[in-house]
Amino acid sequence: MRETGRFAPSPTGPLHAGSLVAALASWLDVRARGPQARWLIRIEDADTERCLPGMGEHMLRQLADCSLLPDETPVWQTQRTAHYDASMRKLQALGLAYPCGCSRKDIDNALERLGRRHERHGERVYPGTCRDGLHGKPARAWRFAAEKFESTQPGELRWTDRRLGEQHQNVGRDVGDFVLRRADGPWAYQLAVVVDDAEQGVTDVVRGEDLADNTARQILLQRALGLPTPGYLHTPLVRGADGDKLSKQNGAAAIDTASPEAALAALDAAARVLGLQAATAASCSAALAAWVPEWRALYNSRPL
Ligand code: GLU
């Protein structure tokens, strides 16, 4: 199998210091594995409502300004809906996807009746109301029968993150039966990312630590669909002055790549977050090449 990594940004805003860390890390992880390995870019525009027109192209330009060039033509999730459809049909045939007619209010009421609160990051842990049917309500979403599938698996779901170490999660209990597709169309990130990573032959997922909590859900879906599980490495987050994770939502500034010097400075800042030495090279491509052996030593990326 050819080692394959990817950077998979959502085009909801320009690249900022935090997203550049994930881009750089995934690039270095591939290059550290040797010339046969592939680095791909996938524009995750499946959730069309949150995406901004032209932003995917803009991000590709920002990456190119930093000499982060993919080995293949970037793919766009909106062009891949047939793949998501096929996987959804498979889950339905397996009895692992069901329609749900609950509004947020319905879920809140059901949780209240059960004496439960929004237990997880303020999110609702779906109590499984529509598992046995829609009770006359119109479908609002399709959900993955996480609890049902998990009950067929031996023990709690465990995986090893190359930076964070041993991880485990009981998805049914901690997250609930999660959404695969909203009835109004858009595919959920969890399903799209699993289908795409498998279909593109991704062997190593390197992305920001804010996404680590999604990994158990994704591994569960991979198992349900009979897909391989890649390796995972979640990178340190860049924090804003308030100590919160820097994100498009809290107004993180776009990286400046207008000049080669500015692009190199942005890359250098990202490299420091990853624990790499300051760049002494005069260009992005030379700095990138110098970080490859350092990355290999720090994060143990060996050819398969
Ligand atoms: N599209 C996701 C984001 O921008 C990242 C997906 C992933 O790397 O798994 O947050």
Side-chain angles (χ1 to χ4, degrees):
M1 163 108 59
R2 194 167 166 201
E3 297 98 320
T4 302
R6 60 21 169 219
F7 176 53
S10 303
T12 53
L15 286 182
H16 54 75
S19 38
L20 187 62
V21 171
L24 172 63
S26 62
W27 186 94
L28 286 170
D29 198 52
V30 164
R31 291 295 167 251
R33 292 171 191 279
Q36 77 293 342
R38 293 183 303 163
W39 188 64
L40 310 178
I41 298 179
R42 182 172 70 235
I43 304 294
E44 298 214 318
D45 57 347
D47 189 351
T48 39
E49 274 166 32
R50 291 178 53 237
C51 298
L52 300 177
M55 193 50 75
E57 291 83 355
H58 178 68
M59 292 173 129
L60 292 172
R61 278 194 300 276
Q62 289 179 295
L63 291 166
D65 288 343
C66 294
S67 297
L68 295 170
L69 299 166
D71 294 317
E72 292 177 13
T73 310
V75 304
W76 299 67
Q77 287 189 322
T78 38
Q79 293 166 0
R80 300 176 47 76
T81 51
H83 295 278
Y84 314 142
D85 256 323
S87 294
M88 177 65 109
R89 280 197 298 275
K90 188 164 177 182
L91 292 173
Q92 287 164 341
L94 291 165
L96 292 175
Y98 64 87
C100 168
C102 295
S103 63
R104 283 166 190 268
K105 187 91 194 106
D106 293 335
I107 299 174
D108 284 345
N109 291 342
L111 289 174
E112 211 171 290
R113 277 196 301 278
L114 293 165
R116 290 198 229 148
R117 302 195 62 76
H118 300 170
E119 291 133 9
R120 202 175 139 273
H121 313 320
E123 278 178 37
R124 296 162 180 80
V125 176
Y126 182 66
T129 319
C130 295
R131 248 178 231 153
D132 57 351
L134 281 164
H135 307 287
K137 291 183 286 191
R140 287 172 173 262
W142 280 86
R143 290 184 181 271
F144 177 61
E147 211 171 295
K148 177 176 174 185
F149 181 64
E150 223 165 15
S151 69
T152 67
Q153 301 289 298
E156 196 174 32
L157 197 139
R158 292 180 180 279
W159 79 100
T160 306
D161 182 274
R162 281 166 50 207
R163 188 176 74 87
L164 302 173
E166 298 299 314
Q167 308 288 314
H168 61 93
Q169 188 174 64
N170 181 320
V171 177
R173 184 194 62 210
D174 298 342
V175 184
D177 289 353
F178 54 90
V179 171
L180 297 169
R181 183 180 196 176
R182 292 206 300 274
D184 59 355
W187 292 94
Y189 158 64
Q190 310 295 354
L191 182 78
V193 80
V194 161
V195 171
D196 286 338
D197 281 341
E199 213 263 333
Q200 294 188 283
V202 170
T203 56
D204 289 276
V205 170
V206 176
R207 60 187 177 191
E209 195 177 322
D210 55 320
L211 294 165
D213 185 57
N214 294 279
T215 310
R217 270 170 277 178
Q218 294 169 14
I219 294 176
L220 215 54
L221 272 181
Q222 289 153 5
R223 291 185 185 171
L225 288 164
L227 302 173
T229 291
Y232 287 98
L233 190 166
H234 289 89
T235 57
L237 298 181
V238 178
R239 301 201 177 267
D242 55 2
D244 277 354
K245 175 188 88 95
L246 200 61
S247 71
K248 292 162 199 162
Q249 284 72 29
N250 70 14
I255 51 164
D256 174 9
T257 60
S259 68
E261 295 74 27
L264 179 57
L267 265 187
D268 194 43
R272 302 304 191 77
V273 175
L274 295 169
L276 304 165
Q277 299 292 314
T280 50
S283 69
C284 287
S285 53
L288 287 168
W291 285 320
V292 168
E294 229 191 299
W295 174 274
R296 188 181 294 122
L298 265 181
Y299 293 100
N300 196 23
S301 331
R302 308 209 177 283
L304 293 176

